[in-house]
Amino acid sequence: MKRMKKWQGFLSLILVVGLIAGLGYYATTIVKGTNEANEDSLKLGLDLAGGVSVTYQAEGDFTAEDLEDTRYKLQQRVDSDLGENSTTEGSVYIVGDDRITVEVPGVKDANALLEELGSPGNLYFIRQKNDAGTENYSYDSTTGAYVLNYTIEELEASGDIVLTGSEVNSASAQYENDQTTGAQEPVVSISLNDAGTEAFATATTEAYASGESIGIYYDDAFVSVPTVQAAITDGNCVINGMSSYEEAENLASYIRIGGLNVTLTELESRVVGATLGSDALATSFKAGMIGLVIVMILMIALYLLPGLSAALALGIYTTIMLAILYLYDITLTLPGIAGIILSIGMAVDANVIIFARIREEIATGKEVKSAIDSGFKKALSAILDGNITTLIVAAVLGVLGSGTVKGFAITLAIGVVLSMFTALAITRWILNSFYAIGLRNEKFYGKAKPVKVLDFMKKKVVFFVLSSAIILVGLGSMFVHSISGYGLNYSLEFLGGTSTTVTFDKEYSIAEIDSDIVPLVSEVTGDNDIQTQKVDDGNGVIFKTRTLDLEEREALNTMFEENFGVTEDSISSENISSTIGGEMRRQSLIAVLVAALLILLYIWFRFKDLRFGGSAVIALIHDVLIVLSLYAVARISVGSPFIACMLTVIGYSVNDTIVIFDRIRENLFNAPKKDKESLARIANESISQTLSRSVTTSLTTAIMVLMLLILGTSSIREFALPLLVGVITGTYSSICLATELWFLMRANSKSAKIDESKKKKTKKKAEKATKENEGLIV
């Protein structure tokens, strides 16, 4: 790389300061706008900002299974359509026995949401003519639209309804090349299930032969009447003739929402407040800023001039991250904040790896500029491998996850890519600028001291026993509690509960609700996991608790009447279902398992040794079980933050382990022998050489989480404590378990045994030769 001249160095540093000032001002505007909820605000989730709640009434005859299936499909509708351009994270849950509520964040106009969400109705694909040759629908020139000639009931009886929405697997708008002109045109692509495929094959074969159409009828009107241009037998078809991509999107939306198993009509809509309270976001911002400043000071104290470069780059990283969240309209939730914290930890980690390498190079006698270049080069593989494995986790969760899981994946992926860029490009640019202006003495950069090699392999049994004991305590706690209830303290997000709406005689702030009302509700219900939401433009407050029986509801009503002077008519209670349904739990579990498998394969591919991947995955499982044990023993509420916490632990654990494995790979390559003793020495040296990096990274990430624990609201602290334990556990497992597991696998391998055998033979020969020589001495 061409060396930077002195004037270029000064100019670069001026540009860096200007960039930080500009981005800092922009970020400050975004933070201020978010706290004041004006047009410069970030898009926030229900947990941080509230939104609009729409309740639908289910009509007709249906089962509980039909209602749950409808809830799940509506959740998909919210996740895919409303979040298509803004990563909206809404929640959908069942209320009572015959209603479904949809809550969507970042919306203050209920009518706008209803227009975008659409009116859930029934969907039918109808033959143009019946068996007698009479048209089932015809074009009305006076209205300019198609109308039915028979009722839906009559068409069902005659068998002229080809499909209903329940036989549609998916429908999406896309572009397709016109076979005649070659130009791209918007179409709707539809995929059917097995029953729909068979029925549609028969209907389209007949319609194509006679040149007829099949009408798509939704919510008492035809939304499209396409002519069948070919027999469709594979269950996949497209509807063309769209005038615009927006029209294709609308039709695809009608087809998807028409696939609900139950007919829904709008019952009520209202604007609701944040589930975590209005202070949650402000305290999170405050904690994040304080934590970031402490991390910057720590980096400068530990790494001198490179630490200052990293602090400046970290400032640029943070401001760009906020700008991306704002410009791309990405919904920020509590899990999203977790993803950002993890990516900040990884940004620091990348810098620490680089700086440690630079110091090692200086210690070998290299000139500073040469050491900088060599340090970045040698650190590259560890940084790439660590970040790629984390990106694998984010990608799998983004594709297979839903709701808050997908939101976590998006912020994590953006953060990881951005952290790599700032560490490998921005930090290097700043560091080279400092060198160019004359700061070239090695005292500004530091020199690695001789590493004291600690014998971790000797203590491996102690580590294994300690970890096993903690996990057994956690599993035992889960077993004991499961006898009388649930092994974990599941929140109402997992189990459902009771929603009590109270209209007070005055308006209470969120802070007043938390301090004056919630403790009384908790005392009556015996539930510490209480979610509150304000109803905007009114005195109403929603209290969501565990499921209450009739006696508990009456006691709660009495408490409100005696303490706040409300009447019984001002209180309404109803049971609600979980917002984290079984399907979402299954998707999250599948996503984690797929991510673990891909990590195993990637590490196998990069390190050419399956034992590295196996050890990393076992350490990952260990970390999850340790945090799970904390939840079980401390009875911490298990809700959506639980999922975010576990995902963060997985991402952090893998990244930490990769760095040590990268050093083992390097030391193995340079090792002349690979017998058991040599492998133990290599493992101990590799851990010892990366120990300061592991501790520093763990400390800086822990500082960020600790600030949330100290300054955050009660709901934030409930999330921060397990996350802090997860960060510490991830560091512990990387140092004390993953490498030890690799050593055991490698030391007992065939190649190691061959090397051990050769070593013994060589030793015997040497001893024999010594004895023979001693026998010759007179």
Side-chain angles (χ1 to χ4, degrees):
M1 181 181 290
K2 188 177 179 181
R3 288 196 177 187
M4 192 182 292
K5 295 180 180 179
K6 191 171 184 177
W7 68 269
Q8 291 174 322
F10 278 113
L11 181 60
S12 294
L13 292 175
I14 292 171
L15 287 174
V16 168
V17 173
L19 184 63
I20 292 175
L23 287 172
Y25 175 78
Y26 187 54
T28 302
T29 303
I30 294 171
V31 172
K32 185 179 179 182
T34 304
N35 285 328
E36 296 176 357
N38 60 31
E39 66 275 6
D40 293 321
S41 171
L42 291 169
K43 188 164 207 143
L44 303 174
L46 278 168
D47 53 356
L48 296 175
V52 164
S53 171
V54 179
T55 300
Y56 291 103
Q57 177 72 51
E59 303 288 351
D61 297 327
F62 54 86
T63 64
E65 186 179 355
D66 290 333
L67 200 63
E68 170 56 29
D69 189 52
T70 301
R71 184 208 67 78
Y72 173 63
K73 289 182 178 179
L74 264 179
Q75 182 71 65
Q76 288 184 309
R77 168 84 166 98
V78 170
D79 289 344
S80 61
D81 293 343
L82 300 186
E84 192 166 284
N85 298 315
S86 59
T87 64
T88 295
E89 297 174 14
S91 61
V92 182
Y93 54 90
I94 297 170
V95 179
D97 298 323
D98 57 359
R99 281 161 292 163
I100 293 179
T101 292
V102 180
E103 293 180 338
V104 178
V107 181
K108 296 300 179 186
D109 185 351
N111 292 325
L113 171 64
L114 289 170
E115 184 178 342
E116 190 171 5
L117 185 62
S119 174
N122 290 319
L123 175 74
Y124 304 98
F125 288 69
I126 304 171
R127 293 168 60 189
Q128 183 178 342
K129 295 180 180 179
N130 58 26
D131 292 337
T134 306
E135 292 192 340
N136 291 318
Y137 51 84
S138 55
Y139 184 75
D140 186 347
S141 59
T142 58
T143 60
Y146 283 89
V147 293
L148 284 177
N149 297 329
Y150 301 93
T151 65
I152 289 295
E153 290 75 16
E154 290 172 332
L155 292 172
E156 285 178 330
S158 63
D160 288 314
I161 293 179
V162 179
L163 300 172
T164 63
S166 61
E167 279 126 14
V168 177
N169 277 338
S170 64
S172 61
Q174 59 188 47
Y175 283 102
E176 188 177 83
N177 289 328
D178 186 286
Q179 294 182 354
T180 305
T181 64
Q184 283 198 326
E185 62 171 353
V187 299
V188 176
S189 175
I190 300 174
S191 173
L192 306 173
N193 62 18
D194 292 340
T197 298
E198 184 178 349
F200 206 54
T202 302
T204 53
T205 300
E206 294 174 355
Y208 176 61
S210 55
E212 296 175 1
S213 61
I214 292 181
I216 302 174
Y217 191 74
Y218 172 78
D219 202 22
D220 300 327
F222 281 95
V223 294
S224 182
V225 184
T227 300
V228 179
Q229 299 176 338
I232 301 167
T233 59
D234 62 355
N236 296 298
C237 63
V238 295
I239 301 173
N240 52 24
M242 304 290 113
S243 61
S244 65
Y245 188 78
E246 183 180 359
E247 182 185 348
E249 279 188 318
N250 289 337
L251 178 54
S253 173
Y254 284 135
I255 293 172
R256 282 194 299 273
I257 200 69
L260 300 180
N261 290 20
V262 177
T263 301
L264 302 176
T265 56
E266 182 202 342
L267 189 64
E268 65 173 354
S269 59
R270 57 190 177 189
V271 179
V272 295
T275 59
L276 293 181
S278 58
D279 294 334
L281 184 66
T283 54
S284 296
F285 274 137
K286 183 179 178 181
M289 289 306 299
I290 294 174
L292 196 62
V293 170
I294 294 174
V295 168
M296 288 177 172
I297 293 171
L298 183 64
M299 290 294 290
I300 295 171
L302 291 174
Y303 294 101
L304 309 176
L305 193 60
L308 176 60
S309 303
L312 294 173
L314 205 56
I316 294 173
Y317 161 83
T318 306
T319 52
I320 293 177
M321 186 71 189
L322 283 172
I324 290 173
L325 291 174
Y326 174 73
L327 293 173
Y328 288 91
D329 217 16
I330 296 169
T331 302
L332 183 64
T333 61
L334 186 60
I337 292 174
I340 294 172
I341 290 173
L342 176 56
S343 58
I344 288 176
M346 296 187 69
V348 171
D349 183 48
N351 283 294
V352 170
I353 295 170
I354 292 166
F355 301 158
R357 287 290 193 173
I358 291 173
R359 286 185 167 183
E360 287 175 7
E361 294 301 306
I362 291 175
T364 63
K366 284 189 177 180
E367 184 259 341
V368 170
K369 184 64 179 74
S370 206
I372 292 173
D373 293 338
S374 184
F376 273 92
K377 184 178 179 180
K378 287 190 174 182
L380 184 62
S381 63
I383 293 171
L384 285 179
D385 287 334
N387 282 274
I388 288 173
T389 50
T390 307
L391 280 175
I392 288 172
V393 173
V396 172
L397 295 175
V399 173
L400 298 181
S402 59
T404 55
V405 175
K406 192 181 290 288
F408 170 84
I410 290 170
T411 54
L412 177 60
I414 294 171
V416 168
V417 172
L418 193 57
S419 69
M420 275 199 294
F421 169 72
T422 52
L424 296 174
I426 302 296
T427 301
R428 188 168 192 172
W429 174 39
I430 296 172
L431 202 55
N432 284 330
S433 299
F434 279 129
Y435 182 85
I437 66 173
L439 299 176
R440 301 180 179 182
N441 195 305
E442 66 179 38
K443 69 181 180 182
F444 294 120
Y445 301 86
K447 182 190 293 187
K449 297 178 181 178
V451 175
K452 182 182 178 181
V453 178
L454 303 175
D455 195 351
F456 288 92
M457 298 306 108
K458 189 177 181 180
K459 300 288 193 301
K460 59 183 180 295
V461 175
V462 176
F463 299 141
F464 293 161
V465 170
L466 177 63
S467 294
S468 300
I470 295 173
I471 292 171
L472 285 174
V473 168
L475 295 177
S477 175
M478 290 175 64
F479 175 75
V480 170
H481 285 98
S482 64
I483 295 174
S484 57
Y486 293 97
L488 295 173
N489 181 24
Y490 291 108
S491 71
L492 59 91
E493 292 170 298
F494 275 87
L495 296 178
T498 298
S499 176
T500 304
T501 303
V502 184
T503 303
F504 294 94
D505 57 0
K506 69 172 187 176
E507 184 176 357
Y508 287 91
S509 68
I510 287 290
E512 289 173 328
I513 293 169
D514 288 342
S515 61
D516 300 338
I517 306 177
V518 169
L520 296 176
V521 176
S522 179
E523 184 180 337
V524 173
T525 62
D527 181 15
N528 294 319
D529 178 33
I530 297 171
Q531 293 183 6
T532 60
Q533 286 179 292
K534 282 187 63 179
V535 179
D536 282 14
D537 301 324
N539 298 337
V541 180
I542 303 168
F543 298 90
K544 295 179 182 179
T545 64
R546 63 172 178 79
T547 302
L548 305 178
D549 58 29
L550 181 59
E551 185 178 339
E552 289 171 325
R553 290 189 186 192
E554 290 176 349
L556 186 61
N557 291 354
T558 301
M559 184 276 292
F560 282 124
E561 292 169 11
E562 293 178 351
N563 290 275
F564 301 98
V566 299
T567 63
E568 191 173 347
D569 294 338
S570 302
I571 306 172
S572 62
S573 299
E574 50 203 355
N575 287 335
I576 57 176
S577 72
S578 61
T579 56
I580 302 175
E583 188 64 30
M584 181 178 175
R585 291 197 291 269
R586 283 191 293 274
Q587 284 180 335
S588 300
L589 179 60
I590 291 171
V592 170
L593 293 175
V594 171
L597 177 61
L598 291 179
I599 288 170
L600 177 67
L601 294 175
Y602 176 79
I603 296 175
W604 183 14
F605 168 74
R606 284 289 289 145
F607 288 80
K608 312 300 181 188
D609 189 345
L610 188 60
R611 286 162 294 217
F612 281 113
S615 303
V617 171
I618 293 172
L620 183 152
I621 295 170
H622 161 273
D623 297 345
V624 169
L625 289 176
I626 291 290
V627 177
L628 192 65
S629 297
L630 173 69
Y631 273 97
V633 174
R635 308 307 292 166
I636 298 172
S637 178
V638 175
S640 58
F642 166 79
I643 296 176
C645 179
M646 288 302 185
L647 299 176
T648 307
V649 170
I650 289 170
Y652 188 85
S653 173
V654 172
N655 179 70
D656 211 30
T657 303
I658 286 291
V659 175
I660 299 176
F661 282 177
D662 181 77
R663 187 59 70 100
I664 291 175
R665 176 175 56 181
E666 180 182 329
N667 290 338
L668 265 178
F669 180 78
N670 298 321
K673 296 179 182 179
K674 296 179 179 62
D675 54 83
K676 189 172 183 178
E677 185 180 331
S678 299
L679 290 172
R681 178 179 50 77
I682 289 169
N684 287 325
E685 285 179 354
S686 299
I687 295 175
S688 301
Q689 288 165 353
T690 56
L691 188 60
S692 63
R693 167 262 155 208
S694 297
V695 173
T696 302
T697 302
S698 178
L699 182 61
T700 53
T701 308
I703 286 171
M704 297 294 296
V705 181
L706 192 61
M707 289 301 104
L708 287 176
L709 188 62
I710 295 171
L711 301 174
T713 60
S714 58
S715 54
I716 296 291
R717 287 196 295 271
E718 199 170 62
F719 163 74
L721 177 59
L723 192 57
L724 180 62
V725 172
V727 168
I728 296 170
T729 302
T731 305
Y732 161 78
S733 68
S734 299
I735 296 170
C736 302
L737 295 179
T739 307
E740 284 75 2
L741 287 168
W742 169 84
F743 166 71
L744 286 176
M745 294 180 189
R746 182 64 189 265
N748 291 296
S749 66
K750 188 176 179 180
S751 59
K753 288 179 179 178
I754 292 172
D755 285 340
E756 188 69 24
S757 177
K758 288 180 179 178
K759 181 181 177 182
K760 288 180 179 178
K761 288 180 180 179
T762 303
K763 186 177 180 181
K764 284 182 179 180
K765 286 181 180 179
E767 289 175 352
K768 185 178 179 182
T770 302
K771 288 180 180 179
E772 288 176 351
N773 289 333
E774 288 175 352
L776 293 174
I777 297 174
V778 178

